[in-house]
């Protein structure tokens, strides 16, 4: 038995020895149970235990607990130890409490009382114990109970250093666990000055606390930047002897340095030139030191030194402003890529990923491509290889995409199973983003399926289909390639899916060659049929019916297949139904009808790649926001836009009614319409059926079979909407929302009491200006005087809006007979239906009441509702009249489109009533970013690369009203010299352009 | 912020656990099991860092003991290795060439020492001298108190 330190507890040591000598688990449990019984009887016994005995037994219980056994008694004895005057008893008591008492324990009140006593005492060593206990438990109750005592200790002049250290970190713990329980106080203003403290330990502890406060409120603690920079500067320029025991293996204060460097990452580069220069010097010094010969061969020296270096590089990347530093950082990391220490190679790969996203260092990172590829192939540790994959992904651009994708594909054949799926996603994204030639893209994806079919998720093969459908230059090639790939004796089911879909759509493009004639294609697909899952078979059946349309000459062969018992009487009801319906469809319809039903799929609306969304979900950190934006704009695929709902499955191209006779109606239906800004009514909005290419889908049993496997069930109808009527690029939001239900009930009593004709001159002072503020924003203060503050919050979705008004009583008296009335001037009530929730008769002193308004836009409107607030304040009647900030542009949803589409549509809206143009004098200096923010606030998109002049803005949106959807196009041309704007709005419905133009004009 | 620190032997026996974020006991056991298996399965020359859920694991082996810390994504891995090393140095200095048995028999001391070095998952005091001074002060207080249990432990009470 080794020596027991201090005075130790011999009984405890004996017990531990006994446990260790137990030969079996059973023996151990037996010994423990014996001990537990013994302790229990001692605690229950008549003989009062002295402090030492209590301490010993409590410690034994703790040991038993740490062995993994449950302890359900002894807590009270431990709490008793807290009030002991003997330090060691107190200490064991606190340890037991820290480890064993959960935050919700009944004894917590007693514990907090004991802690408060120790904090109030004068003994620093007791104070420290109490603080450590608080830091270890950190419960809300503690935060509430001790929220005053701890900050006081931290800034009080007579607290000794070590207590200050503990107080800082204890406070940090409480701020983290229950931030709202700690009252902000005077201590907060003094806290940043702890960065100047003499004692390095205090600074080290305080730096963590300050970083937490800064994260919540950077503006308030801005002063810490210069303090941190000067402290850092003193450290990095000191010699290693200056800091004595805070030098760690010849590295001056590495922990504090890292904390300071992290603190600075919460701010942009310093504004003060002197501070900025000083910081740059620090960073350069750190980079220089990395080149100096090591002062020690010990790994601790190099770890500590490099820890500071990596944190400095993080800061350099964060500031992203000094190309020289970024390139130096990159070169330094390049050296580490070949370092013999695995840890350094790992970290270098990780940091380089970030550097690759900065425009200043992207090229410098690319120089290391070969090394990274070698790492991918030769590293023995999968976590390092993973980093190499991440870096290759981050450094990829148009110039090296083919090579990187090639290498990744090659590596995929032997890659670890754990990283395959992610690699597949990454390869698919890179291939799509940087495809110059889409035949290459198709090759890559088909290779992916061939090499790692099991890891190719739905998103990946959905995406290749979306792209092939949207790009007619690649369709023939895709058909040919997939036809060849299917020749392989064993091919992955995903390949069959892609093959079925693509040949069904575009098989005719390769049917001219007798080697891939119609019958050959069919036989090839059908040879896989029996090996596939029901979902794939359903897809193949859809391909077959498309074949009947494309290749009438093999109609009879296919009909035989559909008619076979294996299909028509399949146990799977979906297959059965498809077989029967498709057979009927092919038998009773004319060729024209068939051709219309099985029309080639319309292009998919452009949206964010669903693969990217999946990768983000899987690994949020691996898709740096900045890089992605940069890459997206560089991408050749037009406007890969963000959208809320991204899991879009390609539907099985036909979605039809079960009953063939219903199909008759559609032969008169118009051909699928491409989106134009015609002023005719848009596809039936709000009905429960969805119009797809001119005929009703209704209850869709066959529709979108593939989607059943997609993770977002229930999105089927939404997807269809997105496909069938490209007028609604953001359609997915339709289906989700209690809002719809709410407005269903609303229509019945939408004719709210309307007292028309309020005198607008009667508006309260400032009402008009306040109203205008809300044109481009949704939240803010609408009105304020000495009695009342009125705030507004609102949200809109398509033609529905919700607005909350908050009435805050600023006085110390109750406001009585509080009454709010909303009126609609002119015939506004026909255009905007408003439903108002009642608001109470009184507003208590200092209280705030909330009122909700629901507003549906029926058709365009120019006026705003007027809200009259009346109440009694100390007997006197008060009246306030305000315009409720509801304006037409709130009902716009931004729309994305490329230059071609934009100009086609722009030209189509050429009648004078559809356009409104105004020349406006700028009220403030023209600032590109501000104007952009305004436009976004105005709810239209800001389209990049549409107007050749980058100064000009081009925007689009769809105005949703209950009656129809109106396409909105907008151009804004600033003239900086003249400080003027020319604003042109075109809309597919008369009057709308004028109203929007008038609204926007007030904002410039 | 460090989320937790685990010390376990090559046989997978847990010797010390310190949790800086609240978890249910059941969850603690599950995490421990998972990480012990994960770390023990790694080969000697492998990297000391790995991604685990949304945390980073930093581990290092000293003789028969593994020291394993979970830190947050923005924390510094290399410096966490040195937190471990500093802790080992402190134990070593205090016990005089520390071994696994010292930690088993004096587990409470190991906890006290850790509380001086790290508090609430953040580095509190990096000076070896200051930490040892604080621990020595504790021991001094111990010695001033009469070891009144001495006789009882020897059956003489």
């Amino acid at each position: 038995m080794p020596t027991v330190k201090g005075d130790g507890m011999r009984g405890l040591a004996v017990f531990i020895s006994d446990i260790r000598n137990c030969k079996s688990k059973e023996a151990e449990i037996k010994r423990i149970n014996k001990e537990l019984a013994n302790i229990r009887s001692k605690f229950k016994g008549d003989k009062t235990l002295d402090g030492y005995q209590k301490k010993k037994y409590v410690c034994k219980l703790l040991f038993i607990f740490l062995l993994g056994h449950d302890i359900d008694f002894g807590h009270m004895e431990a709490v008793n130890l807290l009030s002991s005057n003997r330090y060691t008893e107190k200490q064991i008591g606190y340890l037991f409490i820290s480890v064993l008492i959960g935050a919700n324990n009944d004894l917590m009140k007693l514990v907090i009382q004991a802690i408060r006593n120790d904090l109030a005492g004068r003994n620093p060593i007791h104070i420290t114990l109490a603080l450590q206990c608080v830091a270890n438990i950190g419960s809300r109750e503690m935060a509430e109970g001790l929220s005053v005592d701890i900050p006081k200790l931290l800034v009080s002049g007579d607290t000794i250093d070590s207590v200050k250290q503990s107080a800082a970190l204890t406070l940090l713990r409480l701020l983290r666990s229950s931030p709202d329980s700690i009252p902000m106080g005077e201590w907060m203003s003094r806290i940043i000055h702890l960065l100047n403290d003499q004692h390095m330990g205090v600074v080290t502890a305080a730096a963590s606390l300050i970083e937490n406060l800064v994260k919540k409120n950077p503006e308030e603690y801005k002063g810490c930047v210069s303090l941190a920079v000067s402290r850092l500067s003193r450290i990095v320029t000191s010699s290693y002897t200056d800091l004595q025991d805070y030098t760690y293996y010849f590295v001056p204060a590495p922990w504090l340095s890292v904390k300071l460097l992290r603190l600075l990452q919460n701010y942009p580069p310093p504004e003060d030139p002197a501070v900025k220069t000083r910081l740059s010097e620090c960073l350069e010094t750190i980079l220089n030191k990395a080149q100096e010969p090591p002062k020690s061969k010990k790994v601790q020296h190099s770890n500590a030194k490099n820890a500071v270096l990596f944190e400095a590089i993080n800061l350099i990347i964060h500031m992203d402003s000094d190309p020289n530093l970024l390139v130096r950082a990159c070169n330094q990391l390049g050296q580490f890529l070949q370092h013999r220490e695995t840890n350094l190679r790992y970290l270098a790969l990780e940091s380089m990923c970030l550097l690759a996203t900065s425009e200043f260092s992207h090229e410098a990172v690319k120089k290391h491509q070969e090394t990274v590829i070698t790492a991918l192939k030769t590293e023995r540790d999968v976590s390092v290889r993973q980093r190499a994959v991440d870096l290759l992904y981050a450094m990829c651009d148009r110039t090296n995409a083919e090579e990187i994708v090639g290498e990744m594909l090659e590596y995929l054949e032997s890659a670890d199973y754990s990283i395959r799926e992610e690699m597949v996603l990454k390869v698919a994204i890179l291939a799509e983003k940087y495809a110059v030639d889409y035949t290459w893209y198709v090759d890559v994806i088909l290779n992916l399926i061939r090499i790692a079919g099991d890891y190719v998720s739905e998103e990946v093969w959905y995406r290749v289909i979306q792209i092939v459908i949207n790009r007619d230059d690649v369709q023939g090639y895709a058909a040919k390639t997939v036809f060849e790939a299917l020749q392989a004796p064993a091919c992955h089911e995903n390949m069959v899916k892609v093959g079925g879909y693509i040949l069904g759509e575009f098989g005719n493009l390769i049917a001219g060659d007798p080697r891939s004639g119609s019958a050959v294609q069919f036989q090839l697909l059908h040879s896989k049929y029996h090996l596939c899952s029901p979902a794939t078979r359903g897809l193949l059946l859809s391909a077959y019916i498309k074949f009947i349309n494309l290749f009438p000459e093999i109609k009879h062969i296919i009909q035989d297949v559909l008619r076979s018992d294996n299909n028509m009487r399949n146990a799977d009801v979906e297959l059965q139904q498809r077989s029967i319906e498709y057979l009927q469809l092919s038998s009773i319809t004319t060729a024209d009808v068939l051709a219309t039903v099985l029309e080639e799929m319309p292009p998919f609306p452009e949206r964010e790649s669903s693969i990217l969304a999946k990768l983000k979900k899987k690994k949020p950190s691996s898709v740096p926001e900045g890089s992605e934006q940069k890459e997206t704009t560089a991408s050749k695929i037009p406007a890969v836009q963000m959208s809320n709902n991204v899991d879009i499955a390609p539907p099985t191209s036909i979605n039809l009614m079960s009953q063939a006779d219903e199909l008759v109606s559609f032969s008169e239906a118009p051909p699928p319409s491409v989106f134009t800004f015609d002023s005719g009514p848009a596809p039936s909005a709000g009905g429960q059926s969805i119009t797809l290419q001119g005929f009703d889908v209704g209850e869709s049993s066959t529709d979108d079979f593939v989607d059943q496997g997609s993770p977002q069930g229930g999105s089927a109808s939404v997807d269809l909407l997105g496909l069938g009527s490209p007028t609604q690029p953001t359609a997915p939001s339709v289906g989700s929302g209690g809002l719809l239900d709410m407005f269903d009930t609303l229509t019945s009593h939408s004719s709210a009491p309307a007292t028309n004709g309020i005198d607008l001159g009667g508006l309260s002072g400032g009402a008009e200006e306040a109203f205008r503020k809300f044109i481009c924003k949704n939240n803010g203060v609408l009105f304020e005087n000495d009695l009342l503050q009125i705030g507004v919050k609102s949200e809109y979705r398509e033609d529905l809006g919700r607005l909350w008004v908050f009435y805050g009583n600023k006085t110390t008296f109750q406001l009585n007979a509080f009454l709010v009335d909303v009126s609609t001037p002119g015939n506004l009530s026909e255009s905007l239906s408003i439903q108002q929730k009642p608001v109470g008769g009184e507003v208590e002193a200092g209280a705030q009441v909330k009122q909700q308004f629901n507003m549906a836009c029926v058709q365009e409107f120019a006026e705003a509702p007027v809200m009259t607030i009346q109440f009694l304040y100390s007997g006197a009647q008060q009246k306030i009249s305000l315009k409720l900030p509801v304006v037409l542009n709130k009902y716009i949803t931004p729309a994305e489109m490329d230059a071609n589409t934009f100009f086609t549509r722009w030209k189509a809206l050429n009648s004078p009533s559809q356009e409104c143009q105004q020349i406006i004098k700028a009220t403030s200096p023209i600032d590109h970013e501000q104007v952009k923010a305004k436009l976004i606030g105005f709810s239209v998109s800001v389209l990049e690369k549409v107007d050749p002049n980058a100064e000009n803005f081009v925007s689009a949106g769809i105005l949703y009203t209950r009656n129809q959807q109106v396409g909105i196009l907008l151009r804004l041309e600033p003239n900086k010299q003249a400080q003027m704007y020319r604003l042109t709005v075109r809309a597919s419905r008369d009057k709308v352009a004028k109203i929007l133009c008038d609204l926007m004009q007030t904002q410039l | 912020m460090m989320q937790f620190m685990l010390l376990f032997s090559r046989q997978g026996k847990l010797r010390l656990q310190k949790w800086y974020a609240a978890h249910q006991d059941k969850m603690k056991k599950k995490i421990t099991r998972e990480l012990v298996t994960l770390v023990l399965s790694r080969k000697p020359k492998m990297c000391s860092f790995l991604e685990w859920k949304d945390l980073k694991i930093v581990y290092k082996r000293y003789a028969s003991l593994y020291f394993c810390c979970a830190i947050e994504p923005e924390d510094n891995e290399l410096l966490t290795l040195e937190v471990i090393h500093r802790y080992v140095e402190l134990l070593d200095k205090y016990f005089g060439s520390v071994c696994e048995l010292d930690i088993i028999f004096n587990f409470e001391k190991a906890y006290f020492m850790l509380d001086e070095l790290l508090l609430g998952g953040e580095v509190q005091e990096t000076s070896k001298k200051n930490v040892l001074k604080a621990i020595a002060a504790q021991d001094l207080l111990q010695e001033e108190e009469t070891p009144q249990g001495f006789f009882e432990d020897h059956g003489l009470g």
Side-chain angles (χ1 to χ4, degrees), chain A residues 228-405:
Chain A
V229 169
S230 71
R231 189 90 211 195
L232 182 67
S233 164
R234 272 180 280 158
I235 295 171
V236 296
T237 53
S238 68
S239 88
Y240 60 85
T241 48
D242 292 352
L243 299 171
Q244 292 160 353
D245 212 30
Y246 289 92
T247 294
Y248 181 83
Y249 290 86
F250 303 100
V251 182
W255 279 280
L256 180 53
S257 305
V258 165
K259 283 185 181 187
L260 293 171
L261 288 163
R262 262 182 68 175
L263 178 61
L264 291 170
Q265 287 172 50
N266 291 291
Y267 289 97
E271 283 156 19
D272 181 344
V275 178
K276 190 172 179 176
T277 312
R278 202 158 179 205
L279 179 57
S280 294
E281 282 165 8
C282 286
L283 294 171
E284 270 170 28
T285 312
I286 294 171
L287 286 169
N288 291 341
K289 280 189 181 170
Q291 295 299 324
E292 289 170 11
K295 294 197 173 65
S296 154
K297 283 210 168 67
K298 288 230 162 72
V299 68
Q300 283 75 29
H301 172 69
S302 81
N303 277 353
K305 190 165 129 181
N306 292 327
V308 177
L309 176 63
F310 275 107
E311 209 57 59
I313 291 177
N314 284 343
L315 179 59
I316 292 171
I317 296 170
H318 165 80
M319 297 197 299
D320 198 17
S321 61
D322 187 336
N324 170 43
L325 286 176
L326 281 160
V327 170
R328 281 194 66 187
C330 186
N331 294 340
Q332 183 60 53
L333 294 177
Q335 289 179 19
F336 285 155
L337 285 183
Q338 317 220 33
H339 202 279
R340 61 188 165 78
E341 278 272 329
T342 315
N343 290 345
L344 282 183
R345 295 198 302 274
Y346 175 94
L347 294 175
L349 288 166
E350 190 179 57
S351 283
M352 265 205 182
C353 273
L354 294 175
L355 277 176
T357 63
S358 164
E359 54 174 320
F360 300 116
S361 49
H362 184 78
E363 285 305 312
V365 172
K366 277 166 65 186
K367 287 192 197 126
H368 303 286
Q369 187 177 323
E370 283 315 307
T371 322
V372 182
I373 288 172
T374 316
L376 181 65
K377 290 176 176 161
T378 58
E379 282 290 350
R380 274 184 292 174
D381 183 347
V382 59
S383 45
V384 185
R385 291 195 294 270
Q386 166 85 61
R387 289 281 151 272
V389 172
D390 291 348
L391 178 53
L392 284 176
Y393 177 74
M395 68 161 67
C396 191
D397 61 21
R398 182 72 43 77
T399 63
N400 54 16
E402 261 187 64
E403 194 184 341
I404 286 182
V405 166

Side-chain angles (χ1 to χ4, degrees), chain A residues 753-811:
Chain A
T755 44
N756 291 346
I758 260 246
D759 177 15
L760 282 182
L763 285 179
S764 302
E768 192 63 41
E769 290 72 13
F771 169 76
R772 279 198 209 125
K773 278 196 309 196
F774 284 86
I775 293 178
C776 286
K777 63 179 198 173
N778 285 340
N779 307 327
V781 174
L782 181 64
F783 175 82
E784 181 155 27
N785 65 8
D786 293 337
L787 309 179
L788 202 62
Q789 186 194 51
I790 302 178
V792 167
K793 258 177 85 168
S794 57
E795 60 181 35
Y796 294 84
R797 182 179 293 171
E798 302 189 329
D799 60 329
L800 308 176
R802 234 189 310 207
L803 185 138
W804 293 271
V805 181
F806 298 85
Y807 308 96
N809 180 354
K810 290 169 68 177
T811 69

Side-chain angles (χ1 to χ4, degrees), chain A residues 182-193:
Chain A
I182 308 290
M184 304 294 127
E186 185 239 358
W187 58 274
M188 300 184 78
S189 58
R190 293 165 64 178
I191 202 110
I192 60 170
H193 297 286

